[in-house]
Amino acid sequence: MYGKGILKGLSVTWKRFWDTYTEDISWVMRGKKRYNTDEGIRHRSSKDTKGIFTVQYPEEQLIVPEEFRYVPFLVYDEGADGKKEVRCTSCGICAKVCPPQCIWIVRTNDPATGRPVPVPTDFYIDMDICMNCGFCSEYCPFDAIKMDHDFDIASYQRNVYNLEKLMKPAAYYAGIRPENYTREEEARKAKEAAKAAKAEASAAAAA
Amino acid sequence: MVTPLTATVDLVVRFPGTVAADVRPGYTGFIINKENLVEVATAVRDEFGYDLLTAVTAIDYIAENKMEVVYHAYKTTGGAGLVFRVQVERVDPIELPSLIDIWPGVDFQEREAWDLYGIKFTGHPDLRRILMWEGFEGHPLRKDWKEPFFEEETKPFKSRWPDGQHTFAENKNPFRDNLNFPKDFDPEKYVVDKEEDLYASLERYTTKDVEGNMKTDHIVVNLGPHHPSTHGVLRVAVTMDGETIIGLKPVMGYLHRNHDKIGERNTYLQNIPYTDRLDYFNSMSNNFGYCTTVEKLMKIPVAERAEYIRVIMAELSRIQNHLIFIGMLMNDLGTMYTPSLYAFEERELILDIFEAVSGARMMCNYFRFGGVVRDIPDDVLQKIKGLVSERLPAKTDEMERFLNENEILVARLKGIHVLNAEDAIKYSVTGPVLRATGVPYDLRRADPYSIYDRFDFDVAVRQNGDMMDNYLIRFDEIRQSLRILEQALKQIPQGPINSQKAAYQVRVPAGEAYGRIESPKGELGFYVVSNGKPNPYRYHVRPASFVNLTAVESMCRGTKIADFVALLAMLDIVMGELDR
Ligand code: SF4
Ligand code: SF4
């Protein structure tokens, strides 16, 4: 029969249409909220999703995975007196590895000796050029530069971030990437312990 | 399977004096005398059976004052390829015979070599610029050509560290100071007169008598560059007799950024995220192709677990690409949005996986030389398993139920001829479009790379070469990909995910490598030449979309203009890759 194929296809559309209601109703019956809740959003992007698929941005926001990367930021640790101790040593690796070359670092030189000091005087990232590749954070040997989760940065101006604007506390980093943070902290502690043990051993040997 | 070694013997023995084996360290293949190129190429095709010429590109050896054109020929029955090259003095005019009569598929690639290197291919009927605009002066891939805002030959630039005071590149170069305009050129007064060349390359207008005294002209219609059916900024100039297409020329380059030149300024590592931007639907496949090529050059193994991860990612990418293809084809045929949004749902779920492993949905930047950047977390692996074993097969079936028998779709697709096998090979068409003509040429089988030889799957083939087959073969491929995925997910071993130590500067020994993979759109090739420095000396992408488009004119001649839109969709082009 001519038109059978169309009707068969329409049965799919009809089923999808029907599902949007049955799915909503089944959530209500179970006493759960399908919209504006983490559970609902997670379910909507799982393999079992049925019915309405979209997430109503900005009222709802997708839950981004830990590895999600947007633009980079610099991590600082809180010093004892509340001073911001930026982890960056201005070694320049990130500026060298950056594919579109959008990182600009001013290294600090000791005014007396002229020798480099391991803190940046200034640090610029041209966010309009940054291609969000994540190389800077991947190859930084000091865990000083990390990729942010905050993607709402649209603005009317060019976005060249300086050191001040790039700095975020280590606690923030731990918040957005808990697994990475824990792993790095453990590695750091292990390294420090090994160093201390080595120093002790050599001290013992000297004595 | 012919190994390159036996071929070496053959070609030199067959043409003593005119062909020499390439003995430079790291290079393979033959150097052919310019005068004998056509003769040798004919023999390569007819006597040795290399019927598919996939890649043609040039290299500028400025230090030796030489230009080289490299040809990569393969057999559609499979096996290793044959590389042959011609070297000419680097003195303008640089002339070489065109191979367009032997392999018509070289058309666009020769035009590209002319455009970017200034090599004149004598005998090419339509040697116009292809990626750069018509008023452009110079040939940008030559080593002595400098782009606007030029800073240094290679990255990293010295101005970034240790005294990196940020400046905007455009402030350094006030308008025009560093742009290569021809002499006496004023952009304000520029009138595009080269358009005539384009129209002249189309078949001539004729005024003819139709039944007695009514006269009709052939008319020229420009589709695009902003036209919803052209998938981006492709322009097509068409001459028509009523509704029937009699001549057609694609005009491209609107999205051209000279990816090759950028690639030669970059370090090897820096190129990986740039390849994401080629075919932006399949950044995983692009990474795959590039990393395979550089690994070939570096002669390093890939970690076992990473091989599996790579295959999983590449096949997931193929599935979502084909789903989008189907959705977009429907858009082009006029059934706006419903099928394409159904396809997007599944794609979203696959992109969620990419995001969880790599950090980005589309610009994945996930592969590294020797492996991948990070492991797949267990929960993501579970999600992939769920998708592969439950959801995707069901949804593919649903899509088929939804569309395949639809009478309108069948009327639009069935029996509309796309290509026959002979033409497809002639025009160097690869990928699903070639396989829909009955040629079972899939690089995963024909010239296996990575670990594809370990999986049990069939090469999807269809016999008619009409639009319906081109459409259905995508479903076949999705099913085969699911088969591969199931096996890969079962077999994936534990272990390290990279065979190398993470390093931002890799050592690549001098030499050349051409690596190719079966991307969802066809053969994606990378040709990389190293001179031992931290940056590639030559970096070339052979995109499937670009070469497949060579066949579009012969595909469309004689069809109706409405079918052209669908024919173009069949080629599954993507402008990021086509224009590079
Ligand atoms: S952010 Fe890291 S890589 Fe970049 S300069 Fe600072 S310490 Fe070096
Ligand atoms: S994310 Fe990539 S492009 Fe952006 S600053 Fe870091 S290295 Fe540069």
Side-chain angles (χ1 to χ4, degrees):
Chain A
M1 184 191 76
Y2 193 79
K4 199 167 131 239
I6 295 180
L7 289 177
K8 197 171 162 189
L10 281 176
S11 74
V12 172
T13 346
W14 173 251
K15 180 158 182 306
R16 291 245 186 177
F17 176 72
W18 185 247
D19 279 348
T20 56
Y21 293 98
T22 53
E23 184 70 6
D24 278 6
I25 292 166
S26 90
W27 279 70
V28 172
M29 301 280 270
R30 279 181 286 143
K32 287 189 174 170
K33 278 185 78 188
R34 190 167 190 264
Y35 301 98
N36 297 308
T37 57
D38 278 5
E39 192 194 3
I41 294 172
R42 269 190 217 287
H43 185 264
R44 258 176 284 164
S45 37
S46 77
K47 73 171 169 47
D48 302 313
T49 174
K50 251 186 3 183
I52 289 175
F53 185 77
T54 38
V55 171
Q56 297 296 324
Y57 182 85
E59 288 79 21
E60 294 179 300
Q61 287 207 2
L62 276 175
I63 303 149
V64 293
E66 166 149 358
E67 291 302 341
F68 174 73
R69 54 184 149 84
Y70 200 56
V71 293
F73 66 93
L74 290 173
V75 185
Y76 71 81
D77 296 304
E78 289 302 334
D81 48 355
K83 233 182 89 205
K84 294 178 181 177
E85 288 170 3
V86 66
R87 289 183 182 178
C88 174
T89 61
S90 70
C91 70
I93 287 178
C94 56
K96 285 180 203 148
V97 78
C98 174
Q101 295 283 291
C102 65
I103 302 183
W104 308 66
I105 304 168
V106 186
R107 192 173 61 191
T108 313
N109 288 333
D110 190 315
T113 59
R115 305 266 294 278
V117 192
V119 257
T121 301
D122 215 336
F123 199 112
Y124 306 93
I125 299 184
D126 196 331
M127 294 303 181
D128 302 327
I129 292 177
C130 172
M131 71 200 295
N132 320 104
C133 69
F135 275 166
C136 46
S137 93
E138 203 179 313
Y139 291 99
C140 172
F142 302 97
D143 294 322
I145 190 165
K146 293 292 166 192
M147 302 302 284
D148 209 340
H149 278 188
D150 178 18
F151 51 82
D152 290 317
I153 62 161
S155 78
Y156 289 105
Q157 295 94 37
R158 300 281 292 264
N159 299 294
V160 183
Y161 287 13
N162 61 8
L163 186 60
E164 198 43 52
K165 200 154 179 209
L166 281 168
M167 286 210 291
K168 293 198 175 175
Y172 172 78
Y173 172 53
I176 59 167
R177 291 174 193 264
E179 281 174 31
N180 280 283
Y181 181 78
T182 326
R183 193 170 57 235
E184 283 157 15
E185 284 306 302
E186 271 165 17
R188 182 144 64 166
K189 285 208 186 95
K191 217 170 160 189
E192 268 163 23
K195 217 169 153 188
K198 214 172 153 197
E200 227 166 74
S202 65
Chain B
M1 198 190 273
V2 177
T3 64
L5 193 67
T6 38
T8 307
V9 178
D10 282 349
L11 214 53
V12 178
V13 170
R14 173 72 179 71
F15 296 98
T18 58
V19 175
D22 195 338
V23 290
R24 292 174 290 177
Y27 288 76
T28 52
F30 311 98
I31 304 179
I32 297 172
N33 278 358
K34 176 181 153 186
E35 291 72 31
N36 305 83
L37 178 62
V38 174
E39 184 195 347
V40 177
T42 315
V44 165
R45 187 192 62 180
D46 297 341
E47 289 173 33
F48 298 95
Y50 289 90
D51 46 357
L52 186 73
L53 188 75
T54 60
V56 180
T57 190
I59 317 161
D60 179 9
Y61 288 111
I62 193 165
E64 291 133 60
N65 199 29
K66 277 206 182 100
M67 279 278 186
E68 183 176 298
V69 177
V70 193
Y71 301 87
H72 291 265
Y74 289 90
K75 291 180 176 175
T76 43
T77 47
L82 181 74
V83 188
F84 57 97
R85 59 186 94 233
V86 192
Q87 295 188 330
V88 276
E89 286 284 293
R90 199 178 176 284
V91 186
D92 280 315
I94 301 168
E95 285 187 356
L96 268 185
S98 167
L99 295 187
I100 199 161
D101 294 330
I102 304 167
W103 287 288
V106 300
D107 185 355
F108 286 2
Q109 300 194 68
E110 284 189 346
R111 275 176 70 188
E112 185 190 311
W114 154 246
D115 190 359
L116 304 180
Y117 277 101
I119 297 170
K120 269 211 169 77
F121 291 91
T122 47
H124 191 294
D126 185 25
L127 199 66
R128 288 175 295 118
R129 284 188 182 277
I130 187 162
L131 295 172
M132 304 305 297
W133 53 297
E134 289 297 343
F136 188 81
E137 181 153 291
H139 300 285
L141 271 181
R142 290 192 176 186
K143 287 286 172 187
D144 50 4
W145 189 92
K146 304 278 184 282
E147 64 272 30
F149 313 136
F150 171 79
E151 246 192 279
E152 276 174 58
E153 282 294 334
T154 53
K155 291 176 187 171
F157 298 145
K158 292 188 190 66
S159 60
R160 303 299 194 271
W161 179 85
D163 187 23
Q165 297 290 348
H166 177 266
T167 48
F168 289 110
E170 64 271 27
N171 292 351
K172 269 193 313 211
N173 294 291
F175 179 55
R176 294 231 263 162
D177 269 21
N178 200 8
L179 289 175
N180 296 307
F181 285 133
K183 271 191 211 80
D184 312 320
F185 179 85
D186 183 355
E188 312 270 299
K189 301 212 182 89
Y190 179 60
V191 187
V192 192
D193 55 354
K194 293 277 170 50
E195 288 293 280
E196 284 312 313
D197 291 353
L198 166 67
Y199 297 135
S201 74
L202 292 165
E203 273 175 37
R204 304 292 310 170
Y205 310 56
T206 47
T207 305
K208 62 171 186 181
D209 253 348
V210 181
E211 290 169 11
N213 39 21
M214 197 181 80
K215 297 212 166 180
T216 58
D217 272 346
H218 288 173
I219 54 162
V220 177
V221 174
N222 274 293
L223 285 134
H226 297 288
H227 189 274
S229 79
T230 58
H231 298 238
V233 279
L234 176 72
R235 175 181 152 206
V236 185
V238 194
T239 30
M240 294 196 302
D241 180 7
E243 287 271 302
T244 311
I245 296 173
I246 55 169
L248 173 152
K249 287 278 172 192
V251 184
M252 59 200 98
Y254 294 92
L255 215 62
H256 182 57
R257 54 212 184 261
N258 214 334
H259 185 86
D260 292 13
K261 188 95 178 175
I262 298 172
E264 289 166 19
R265 299 255 184 266
N266 282 346
T267 62
Y268 286 94
L269 183 75
Q270 286 171 341
N271 272 336
I272 301 175
Y274 276 94
T275 62
D276 291 344
R277 276 88 180 155
L278 285 168
D279 171 1
Y280 38 75
F281 286 110
N282 299 295
S283 63
M284 289 287 189
S285 309
N286 302 342
N287 282 188
F288 203 168
Y290 176 63
C291 289
T292 319
T293 314
V294 177
E295 281 151 7
K296 229 175 168 180
L297 207 50
M298 291 167 74
K299 302 193 180 61
I300 55 168
V302 179
E304 188 67 9
R305 184 175 170 82
E307 289 274 29
Y308 281 89
I309 298 180
R310 285 178 171 197
V311 167
I312 292 170
M313 292 304 151
E315 294 309 316
L316 282 175
S317 187
R318 189 183 319 275
I319 292 173
Q320 58 87 18
N321 179 78
H322 285 349
L323 285 170
I324 291 302
F325 162 84
I326 291 156
M328 284 301 143
L329 172 73
M330 295 305 134
N331 259 13
D332 289 349
L333 290 179
T335 134
M336 293 301 240
Y337 306 128
T338 307
S340 61
L341 287 178
Y342 286 4
F344 265 99
E345 273 187 19
E346 308 319 311
R347 174 168 191 259
E348 277 304 298
L349 295 175
I350 293 176
L351 293 195
D352 281 344
I353 290 167
F354 290 174
E355 190 179 28
V357 296
S358 77
R361 308 175 79 75
M362 289 177 80
M363 303 299 144
C364 296
N365 187 20
Y366 184 53
F367 290 35
R368 297 289 176 273
F369 307 128
V372 292
V373 55
R374 67 181 72 79
D375 210 341
I376 308 188
D378 274 337
D379 58 322
V380 179
L381 211 56
Q382 287 313 319
K383 190 172 172 190
I384 302 176
K385 280 187 183 148
L387 279 181
V388 167
S389 59
E390 295 165 37
R391 187 172 174 101
L392 290 172
K395 288 292 165 179
T396 316
D397 290 345
E398 189 194 77
M399 201 68 152
E400 289 214 85
R401 211 164 52 240
F402 181 35
L403 298 169
N404 281 8
E405 287 168 41
N406 185 307
E407 281 79 4
I408 304 168
L409 181 104
V410 173
R412 287 297 301 272
L413 299 184
K414 208 173 182 94
I416 310 267
H417 172 71
V418 177
L419 271 177
N420 56 30
E422 198 188 320
D423 281 346
I425 295 170
K426 224 168 71 178
Y427 283 106
S428 309
V429 172
T430 47
V433 183
L434 175 64
R435 290 192 286 277
T437 67
V439 183
Y441 185 68
D442 185 323
L443 296 183
R444 292 172 295 173
R445 271 274 182 271
D447 189 7
Y449 54 95
S450 187
I451 50 165
Y452 277 106
D453 47 0
R454 294 185 200 168
F455 301 115
D456 179 25
F457 68 99
D458 302 317
V459 174
V461 207
R462 293 257 168 183
Q463 300 301 330
N464 299 329
D466 66 347
M467 298 240 267
M468 197 66 191
D469 273 6
N470 269 281
Y471 161 78
L472 290 173
I473 199 167
R474 264 61 181 212
F475 285 109
D476 302 346
E477 294 209 345
I478 292 176
R479 296 230 159 72
Q480 296 304 329
S481 290
L482 287 171
R483 266 178 82 184
I484 297 176
L485 278 167
E486 258 175 30
Q487 297 168 44
L489 287 167
K490 232 177 250 146
Q491 295 168 13
I492 182 167
Q494 290 298 331
I497 41 130
N498 202 320
S499 65
Q500 311 293 307
K501 278 214 350 238
Y504 68 94
Q505 201 70 283
V506 292
R507 269 197 50 75
V508 182
E512 62 160 13
Y514 179 69
R516 50 190 203 141
I517 63 149
E518 185 69 38
S519 89
K521 297 182 159 70
E523 172 175 334
L524 173 68
F526 285 86
Y527 177 69
V528 180
V529 176
S530 163
N531 56 358
K533 300 234 174 75
N535 309 70
Y537 184 76
R538 174 80 177 104
Y539 164 81
H540 173 71
V541 187
R542 183 257 187 228
S545 300
F546 180 70
V547 183
N548 283 1
L549 198 68
T550 320
V552 76
E553 184 168 14
S554 79
M555 267 164 51
C556 295
R557 229 181 259 134
T559 57
K560 299 271 186 275
I561 185 88
D563 290 333
F564 161 73
V565 174
L567 279 163
L568 195 63
M570 283 305 170
L571 284 178
D572 198 8
I573 54 169
V574 56
M575 297 314 287
E577 178 183 74
L578 209 158
D579 282 347
R580 281 159 295 146

